[in-house]
Amino acid sequence: MTSSCKNSSLPTVTNKKAMVNYLPDDVLRNNIFIRLPAKQVALLRSLSKTWNLVLSDSSFIKSHLHHSLIHNNHTDIFAFYFAFLDNISFGTYFTLNAFRSPIYQEHSNYIKLPLSGCNYVIGSVNGLICFWNLWNPCLSSSLITLSDSICDRVCSYDFKFGYDPKTDDYKVVNLRYYYNWTQQMIDEWLPVKVYSVRKGCWESVTGKFPSHITKINGKKVLGDGYDGRVHWLCNVDDSNNKNIKETIVAFDMSDETLSEISLPSDFVKCTRQRTNVLGVLFEKVCVISCVPGAGCEVWVMEDYGVATSWVKRVSYLFNCANIIDLVGFSLRGNLLLKCCDDQLALYDPNTGYVNLLGTRMIDKRISYSAFVDYVGSLVWPVAPGKCVSKQFERLKIENE
């Protein structure tokens, strides 16, 4: 018996291109393209003018980013190592992931990153990594060098990078202060300066940093800056307290105002010295607190800015003698640790598993290291006087 499988109502697909052309645009956009890594989507834009228009649309870029963040797609921690050899700055970076060994993005040896003056990492938000300029690794290009005098040789400084969702702007916050090296504390706070990518300039804000803050915890906060706020864990001037008293200072990117957030009351009651690290866990401010010999705790602020809403989410025990540094939580919710043998490790709070990453922080050639949480994205902020379509057209040519 002979049968025919042909159906005149269906097209004969002879190649992959014809198959893609047959799929409805909304299926391509919402079910296929949105799931692809940003670097692949960037390359697809060069295949046709129609795709370039669709995939360069700001609504698709935001949807793609949101999908990646919600589903933890294409998210990792980037570890940056920098060295100065023969007066030349070199750097390398690789990803840290709890489910696989470190993957070198370029070469295992030191390489020069595709940026100028990139030996200081400020932070990472929405797939943009901020050095003295902004860089999107998925789009293989950099944008905007922070202009004017971002550093003053007379005073000290601390930078934060974040996103302002109300104005769809990316901003860099620069804290400036005079530091008393003899007393190991801050003498005077200077006006806070903010760089707006949309405006393309630095501006001073009205408020100063709280005067009773005597020191800033130098650790970068992984996951900070996504919701329009950046945070610092600070020491407070309290000569009556033998233990170091700490507080959180927040800066609102939209209102450009400063505020304080109290740490959990249990910290004050504790008679033993705690080692605290500020972090962001699933878009909520958290504090990782380690008491020597008693393990570590993760406290999460359920209601932002409300001191009574701190909740101890998890308490875990591992060999604290072997853990000498807590770095923070990644976008995946893993805790990045540094062990006493200088190995990096990722801790999964859900399983209690510590995964040694097989790489060490210390190298005689390394002069500076930094860690940022990263998600692959198509985000490309608009600089003053720039046209979005022309920026994407230039990126399309670079990726071809």
Side-chain angles (χ1 to χ4, degrees), residues 48 78 204 213 221 224 245 295:
S48 73
F78 271 19
S204 296
I213 300 298
V221 184
D224 203 19
K245 185 178 179 181

Side-chain angles (χ1 to χ4, degrees), residues 88-107:
I88 301 176
S89 175
F90 291 90
T92 187
Y93 70 100
F94 54 89
T95 62
L96 301 177
N97 189 297
F99 306 105
R100 61 177 184 267
S101 299
I103 297 178
Y104 286 80
Q105 299 290 345
E106 297 287 351
H107 302 291

Side-chain angles (χ1 to χ4, degrees), residues 348-360:
D348 187 341
N350 296 318
T351 63
Y353 180 66
V354 177
N355 181 28
L356 294 177
L357 297 172
T359 184
R360 287 177 165 79

Side-chain angles (χ1 to χ4, degrees), residues 253-264:
M253 291 283 185
S254 299
D255 300 335
E256 297 190 346
T257 55
L258 293 155
S259 61
E260 277 192 67
I261 301 174
S262 300
L263 290 171

Side-chain angles (χ1 to χ4, degrees), residues 25-82:
D25 290 344
D26 59 337
V27 174
L28 284 172
R29 175 188 169 109
N30 301 323
N31 293 280
I32 297 178
F33 292 153
I34 201 170
R35 302 173 187 271
L36 296 176
K39 194 171 186 66
Q40 290 185 16
V41 177
L43 294 173
L44 287 174
R45 290 194 305 225
S46 64
L47 296 181
S48 73
K49 292 182 178 180
T50 302
W51 283 12
N52 183 46
L53 183 64
V54 171
L55 301 180
S56 299
D57 183 72
S58 60
S59 62
F60 173 77
I61 292 173
K62 290 180 180 179
S63 297
H64 182 274
L65 173 64
H66 180 73
H67 186 276
S68 297
L69 289 171
I70 292 298
H71 297 280
N72 279 326
N73 294 336
H74 327 304
T75 60
D76 280 301
I77 297 175
F78 271 19
F80 289 89
Y81 290 169
F82 297 98

Side-chain angles (χ1 to χ4, degrees), residues 360-371:
R360 287 177 165 79
M361 289 183 63
I362 301 300
D363 186 299
K364 62 181 180 181
R365 298 170 295 179
I366 295 174
S367 57
Y368 171 70
S369 60
F371 306 92

Side-chain angles (χ1 to χ4, degrees), residues 127-129 134-142 374 377-380:
L128 294 174
I129 299 177
L134 299 185
W135 178 44
N136 186 325
C138 288
L139 301 180
S140 303
S141 191
S142 60
Y374 176 78
S377 81
L378 299 162
V379 171
W380 199 247

